[in-house]
Amino acid sequence: GSVGGGTGMIAFGFKAGSGTASRIVEWHGRRYTVGAFVQANFGKRSNFTIRGLRAGPDLVEPAIRESTPHAEKGSIIGVVATDAPLLPHQMKRLARRAPLGVAMTGGFGYHSSGDIFLAFSTANREAALAPSGRIASADFIPDTDIDPFFDAVIECVEEAILNALVANDDMTGRDGNFVPALPKAWLKGKFGASQGK
């Protein structure tokens, strides 16, 4: 939500900020976690999409009020973490899937976007500490089996962005600037019944 660097963030004209989400990926009897952290500060209201529904046209109000002129800019920072044993080139491939999660929410990476994504694995610690003069080895999941991890990254990034929006309340700043929270009543009415909530 609106903590630390997330305090000034706005996404799709709603108060945004920091969000997280995770998935479990099962691979040959083992379970690995894929998690994502985002700082969401991007997107046009008209493009906003929730779980495949183009929600922007339904959410013209409440409107953002900006009394202080500023250049139109947006950005998102996303960090993907996993305990799955993957090699550096595989981690780059995971990081490259993060923008697909952004696109699922209606973020299209416009001209002024400054987007940063990175990914890391906590596996193979012993390989990094291997003593000099010996052959070191590292475990890794074959490239041909990596697709479920791509799915997890895309789903995590999408959900982390939505969680950043849901976790927030209206914010009023100096000079009468006002950023509304994503309307919870609308969200519950649109999605709550289908989820039994």
Side-chain angles (χ1 to χ4, degrees), residues 182-192:
L182 180 64
K184 308 296 192 298
W186 178 91
L187 197 63
K188 186 175 180 182
K190 206 74 170 175
F191 297 100

Side-chain angles (χ1 to χ4, degrees), residues 8-39:
M9 306 277 170
I10 300 169
F12 305 107
F14 294 113
K15 186 66 198 75
S18 302
T20 61
S22 63
R23 293 289 185 275
I24 299 294
V25 178
E26 295 193 12
W27 181 80
H28 288 268
R30 299 182 184 180
R31 291 165 56 89
Y32 298 106
T33 302
V34 175
F37 168 84
V38 301
Q39 282 199 329

